[in-house]
Amino acid sequence: MHPAVSTVTPMTAPLSPRVRAAVTALPGYVPGRPAPLGPGGASHKISSNENPYPPLPAVLEVVQRAAAQLNRYPDMGSADLVGALAEHLDVPAARVVPGTGSVGVLGSLLQAVCEAGDEVVFAWRSFEAYPIVVGLSGATPVPVPLDGAGRHDLDAMADAVTERTRLVLVCTPNNPTGPVVGAQELEAFLARVPRDVLVVVDEAYLEFVRDPQAADGLAAHRAHPNVMVLRTFSKAYGLAGLRVGYAVAHEPVAEALRRTAVPFGVSGIAQLAAVASLEQSEALLERVDAIVDERERVVAELVRQGWRLPRSEANFVFLPVGSSTGALVAACAEAGLSVRGYGDDGVRATVGDVAADDALLEVCGAFLPTWSPDRVG
Ligand SMILES: *Cc1c(COP(=O)(O)O)cnc(C)c1O
């Protein structure tokens, strides 16, 4: 027997490996549910804001070729992808940091920037990953309620900034409600935020925005040394399954992100598929146009049915049904639709697939009269 083992002090209470309190206290990330089976076998997963279109043939081909190299580690710095993004966005390559989805980049960011005692301000309700990554870092989440139209209340968010605030998250368009932050609003907000507080503009749904007054995160980044952007290939570019997103950040933050990233986190397949997707931007953005057209069709029909909704600039709609959220989720499930319910706030449904959108409209049309419309919006 190893000497150390024989000298172990007898235990008075059973010990088990311990987990940080910050971890046990966290809510888990709840993934969108798979679609239930509806009448006639109809079944649509519209709970995760995925792109309904399959990968373009040119992207698939690159992925298949890259699979032959699976015995090799990928390029750790994702140099080709960084180069392609730098050119595509017209920013210096040193500011571009890819990661395992923009959520992966956000996790590295929190590790790089925050520790216990620090505060992170974000709107709520917003992206459910925010309280999780903030909680994991040990920092204190400071959620600031959205206004009645599901929009960021940037004045209240600026008021919430204290000398402990290290980071502010701005999600535009906001997931799950859909509205954008306006360009002027963002500028006014940035004028009130101290320069040593990092402002992160999460633009996961940027490509779906059609509002000409919407904030441009990259323009804000260029104008302000404390502003960075998070973007992703998961939504408009249709690569959710490959886990690739990126930050555009000024160099001290970009360098910190490179240090805290999981080594070789972005697979070779993901890097090549992302580069191929940038090369295929035109074809992919035509699909985004079609999804936006579908969004407008769905919104118009919902309004015709009598719904009042927050203005969505993304690939989803939000039905603010309050305490009837569970009932609407159940009605959707009956029809073979998996949507996302948010407590007593409402239901988010992804748009873009015509058959799924039609099924959603049918459920919503039948649901509205059963529910008191004075509580809509
Ligand atoms: C989907 C989403 C992301 C992107 O997630 P990935 O990790 O890149 O797949 C980031 N922010 C928001 C608000 C989202 O809804």
Side-chain angles (χ1 to χ4, degrees), residues 267-280:
S267 72
I269 291 180
Q271 293 179 34
L272 287 165
V275 171
S277 297
L278 288 173
E279 285 165 3
Q280 301 289 320

Side-chain angles (χ1 to χ4, degrees), residues 100-104 127 130 171 175 202 204-205 232 234-235 243:
T100 53
S102 53
V103 173
F127 188 31
Y130 295 162
C171 186
N175 175 10
D202 183 345
Y205 302 95
T232 181
S234 295
K235 308 285 164 52
R243 313 306 304 124

Side-chain angles (χ1 to χ4, degrees), residues 29 48-50 99-106 126-130 170-176 202-205 230-235 239-246 315-316 342 348:
Y29 189 103
S48 296
N49 295 345
E50 291 153 341
T100 53
S102 53
V103 173
V105 182
L106 184 62
S126 189
F127 188 31
E128 72 168 304
Y130 295 162
V170 175
C171 186
T172 177
N174 187 53
N175 175 10
D202 183 345
E203 298 188 317
Y205 302 95
L230 288 178
R231 292 189 181 172
T232 181
F233 286 94
S234 295
K235 308 285 164 52
L239 298 181
L242 278 180
R243 313 306 304 124
V244 53
Y246 58 94
N315 66 340
F316 53 82
Y342 293 91
R348 187 195 71 194

Side-chain angles (χ1 to χ4, degrees), residues 18-38:
R18 263 185 281 174
V19 168
R20 286 166 53 215
V23 175
T24 45
L26 279 180
Y29 189 103
V30 182
R33 289 204 207 127
L37 213 55

